[in-house]
Amino acid sequence: MSITRTLDGPDLPAGFPFSLATTANGTCFISGMPALGDDGKYQPGTFAEEVALAWSNITRIATASGFTQTEIAYVQCVLADIDDYSALNDWWRRQFPDAAAAPARFTFQAGALPFGCKIEIQAVAVHAR
């Protein structure tokens, strides 16, 4: 088994002491990403703005690792405030209008998130065989 790590790439957040993603046996584990710009700095905004940027980071890392958005099979969303759960569901429904095409998702609230962000998203992508 070979393990490949995505450390950086064009338009990807930079400056972290960990891999953005690790791929092994056709499965890609994407590190948790908040609303970060390409420079790796937090881009504060509304909840909708932050979730959109965090998701964009996830999909760009997946692409840089050789996976498509449709291959994202599982997502974890960590909220700073569980009261944003409804807003997350609203955003999710717009991204995945067909629930049958949506990744599985687990959402919970943390005591605090890096940079004071509102959401951090982690994902797992899998190549169909």
Side-chain angles (χ1 to χ4, degrees):
M1 168 179 73
S2 94
I3 295 175
T4 305
R5 301 185 198 288
T6 302
L7 302 173
D8 56 22
D11 302 321
L12 297 181
F16 300 104
F18 53 82
S19 300
L20 298 175
T22 299
T23 302
N25 291 334
T27 302
C28 181
F29 302 90
I30 303 168
S31 292
M33 285 288 126
L36 301 177
D38 297 346
D39 58 1
K41 293 186 180 172
Y42 174 51
Q43 304 292 313
T46 65
F47 182 80
E49 291 167 341
E50 288 196 27
V51 71
L53 183 51
W55 183 251
S56 174
N57 287 329
I58 292 296
T59 60
R60 289 184 295 145
I61 293 167
T63 299
S65 301
F67 292 78
T68 66
Q69 179 174 323
T70 60
E71 292 177 305
I72 295 174
Y74 179 72
V75 175
Q76 283 190 344
C77 298
V78 185
L79 303 177
D81 184 348
I82 200 66
D83 287 342
D84 287 326
Y85 187 75
S86 291
L88 175 62
N89 283 339
D90 291 343
W91 180 87
W92 194 266
R93 284 183 183 100
R94 287 190 303 277
Q95 299 309 301
F96 303 102
D98 177 7
R105 192 185 90 196
F106 177 69
T107 304
F108 61 98
Q109 176 181 317
L113 291 174
F115 315 112
C117 65
K118 295 173 179 65
I119 187 168
E120 184 171 357
I121 302 174
Q122 157 197 20
V124 178
V126 181
H127 283 310
R129 296 188 188 231

